[in-house]
Amino acid sequence: MPVQPLMEDVAARARVSLATVDRVLNQRKGVRERTVGLVLAAALETGYLSEQDYQNLARPRPPNIVFLLPNGTNPYLGLLGERVRRLADQTSRDTGNIRCFFIDSFNPDALATALRHHSKWADAIACMALDHPAVREVTAELVHRGKRVVSIVSDFAPAVRSAYVGLDNQSAGRTAAYLLGRFCAGRSGSVAVIAGSRIYRAHTEREMGFQSLMEEMFPRLQPVGVREGHDDRDENYRHALSILDQHPGLVGIYNAGGSSDGIARALRERGRSETIFIGHGLSPDTRRLLLNGTMDAVINSDPDSLVATAIEACRPSSTGAIHTIKMDIFLRENLPTT
């Protein structure tokens, strides 16, 4: 009866330690590519590995990926986190390991610290990044060390980060302005923009796109400035109340960020059902607001498509620095079935 080869036999043939063989066969990091090749060849030659097992292990190890998402009351980002965690529960050695963490949304130092901390385990990090010097600095450091840093939803530091995955946000802002202007059907008055924060480039780009198309096509609609609600439903509620009270001629609101339910609450309390309301992110709350007529349109990027594209952008073999996700526009009449 043939004797089953042992890991010791593989180590002796490859002339490496038993610990090195263990690291290679379990696809752990920290082993040079040449040594990996020697160990796998020895394992095949000694019969420790079958041809199929050898082929599986010889493929490049899938990257360890961490998603860093902002915490808070933004339902769309919560939905995005659910999608990532569902994938994380399904991953195997062949598909790689995925982890997801929620961090302080508007704190660049917290994001920089999280990037540095999670890079100890991760080969790639996908994050909704703040466009801030502290974040750019640590990103440059990680990319220099061979890590991939992929921005999702909101871009930052194109000269530094590895790739961006998300909407063309200036186009999204222009689309929101076009919809709002057309829905106003020749009315005159003021329009307001509520954003999460200008520290997110996505919100700045959406605001710029909105303002520029308003000036081009709808001069009878006058923007009244931008409020920052930090994607918090209670802040958005207070801002919306203030805007409605200060501008009785307000005919429309564009929420360039998240947590639209706070704005909807203010509209209901002031009895302003005629006010056109455009927002982002199809989630259970915005779906409900479309159905009851409080919101008129929702601009969306499919979370499954965004997560899948981000994972591909995290792979070392990924090409291209910008991966634009298809923009969907949902009205009450074309909502997808759940």
Side-chain angles (χ1 to χ4, degrees):
M1 183 175 181
V3 178
Q4 176 67 34
L6 303 175
M7 286 178 60
E8 286 84 351
D9 300 317
V10 177
R13 190 174 187 89
R15 297 182 180 180
V16 299
S17 69
L18 189 60
T20 297
V21 174
D22 179 74
R23 293 183 70 83
V24 171
L25 296 181
N26 288 285
Q27 291 191 307
R28 298 191 182 98
K29 295 189 290 185
V31 183
R32 289 182 297 178
E33 186 175 344
R34 180 176 178 277
T35 303
V36 171
L38 288 172
V39 170
L40 292 179
L44 179 64
E45 291 164 3
T46 59
Y48 187 86
L49 289 179
S50 67
E51 180 67 33
Q52 183 61 54
D53 289 337
Y54 170 82
Q55 293 296 335
N56 289 339
L57 288 170
R59 291 200 303 265
R61 178 181 62 82
N64 294 333
I65 301 172
V66 164
F67 279 78
L68 298 177
L69 299 176
N71 60 18
T73 63
N74 186 329
Y76 177 79
L77 294 180
L79 195 63
L80 201 61
E82 288 177 13
R83 297 293 198 275
V84 175
R85 286 176 169 165
R86 186 184 304 167
L87 276 178
D89 291 339
Q90 299 171 353
T91 52
S92 65
R93 188 176 70 177
D94 292 333
T95 58
N97 295 305
I98 299 172
R99 298 176 181 175
C100 181
F101 301 93
F102 285 85
I103 60 174
D104 191 350
S105 308
F106 299 94
N107 186 334
D109 291 328
L111 176 56
T113 298
L115 284 166
R116 186 170 282 113
H117 170 74
H118 290 292
S119 70
K120 297 173 185 176
W121 176 83
D123 301 298
I125 299 178
C127 61
M128 185 172 165
L130 299 162
D131 198 3
H132 186 275
V135 180
R136 292 194 292 269
E137 185 72 14
V138 70
T139 297
E141 173 190 321
L142 298 184
V143 171
H144 180 72
R145 285 167 42 198
K147 308 287 184 177
R148 288 186 66 80
V149 179
V150 175
S151 57
I152 58 174
V153 180
S154 182
D155 199 6
F156 83 115
V160 177
R161 54 91 175 120
S162 306
Y164 164 67
V165 177
L167 294 176
D168 177 336
N169 284 299
Q170 190 157 355
S171 175
R174 289 179 64 86
T175 300
Y178 184 81
L179 290 170
L180 192 150
R182 296 292 290 180
F183 285 158
C184 282
R187 295 159 62 190
S188 298
S190 53
V191 294
V193 177
I194 295 178
S197 172
R198 290 185 176 94
I199 202 169
Y200 280 119
R201 181 178 289 197
H203 296 186
T204 300
E205 291 174 345
R206 291 172 187 177
E207 175 197 345
M208 290 171 55
F210 184 87
Q211 302 276 16
S212 65
L213 191 125
M214 275 291 161
E215 293 174 3
E216 293 169 22
M217 294 190 64
F218 305 108
R220 290 189 295 183
L221 300 177
Q222 299 300 315
V224 295
V226 179
R227 307 287 182 93
E228 294 187 1
H230 301 100
D231 284 355
D232 180 88
R233 59 169 58 95
D234 293 328
E235 280 195 60
N236 282 352
Y237 166 71
R238 291 191 293 270
H239 283 313
L241 280 182
S242 174
I243 291 168
L244 291 168
D245 292 341
Q246 292 176 22
H247 302 280
L250 190 83
V251 295
I253 296 178
Y254 169 44
N255 182 18
S259 298
S260 288
D261 50 345
I263 300 170
R265 177 185 165 196
L267 289 170
R268 288 195 302 270
E269 288 187 7
R270 291 296 186 265
R272 298 293 295 273
S273 60
E274 79 285 356
T275 302
I276 304 300
F277 182 17
I278 310 290
H280 280 265
L282 186 65
S283 56
D285 65 316
T286 53
R287 184 185 186 90
R288 183 179 65 255
L289 296 173
L290 284 172
L291 288 170
N292 66 28
T294 306
M295 291 190 78
D296 296 277
V298 168
I299 297 169
N300 188 62
S301 52
D302 177 62
D304 291 320
S305 176
L306 193 150
V307 170
T309 306
I311 290 172
E312 285 302 311
C314 284
R315 299 186 186 281
S317 58
S318 174
T319 59
I322 297 179
H323 305 267
T324 304
I325 300 297
K326 181 172 69 76
M327 184 190 310
D328 294 315
I329 301 172
F330 289 112
L331 313 176
R332 186 184 68 176
E333 303 302 327
N334 73 333
L335 280 172
T337 56
T338 56

